[in-house]
């Protein structure tokens, strides 16, 4: 896998689903925000409350990248 594959998705809305952890069963199972940066050890996202969160790859089960809105969705303001 190329190292620059996530560069195309910077500043896009993503949903991170965490891998199950027996150490913290009561915590949230997902994190949502804008992908701001990535490195060899994890992802940096900006949450909706404008705080930054670092998520290590070892804690991630799935990353969903939301598609960019179409021209018509941007024009009419109807976002999915």
């Amino acid at each position: 896998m190329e190292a620059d594959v996530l560069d195309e998705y910077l500043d896009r809305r993503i949903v991170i689903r965490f891998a199950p952890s027996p150490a913290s069963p009561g915590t949230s199972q997902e994190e949502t925000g804008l992908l701001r940066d990535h490195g060899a050890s994890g992802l940096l996202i900006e949450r909706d409350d404008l705080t930054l969160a670092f998520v290590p790859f070892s804690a991630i089960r799935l990353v969903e990248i939301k598609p960019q809105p179409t021209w018509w969705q941007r024009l009419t303001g109807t976002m999915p």
Side-chain angles (χ1 to χ4, degrees):
M1 185 160 110
E2 291 184 30
D4 299 335
V5 88
L6 288 175
D7 286 343
E8 298 175 30
Y9 301 107
L10 291 177
D11 298 325
R12 286 244 194 119
R13 180 159 285 295
I14 64 170
V15 176
I16 298 173
R17 300 203 192 277
F18 296 112
S21 171
S24 55
T27 60
S28 173
Q29 296 299 314
E30 67 180 36
E31 189 74 53
T32 305
L34 296 175
L35 179 62
R36 289 300 180 192
D37 201 7
H38 62 90
S41 58
L43 302 175
L44 184 67
I45 64 169
E46 180 181 328
R47 297 178 182 147
D48 293 333
D49 62 357
L50 302 180
T51 60
L52 295 175
F54 175 77
V55 182
F57 285 128
S58 61
I60 296 175
R61 178 178 52 138
L62 174 75
V63 176
E64 293 178 22
I65 301 172
K66 301 293 183 175
Q68 294 282 52
T70 64
W71 177 82
W72 183 253
Q73 289 171 332
R74 290 190 308 264
L75 180 69
T76 62
T78 56
M79 301 297 172

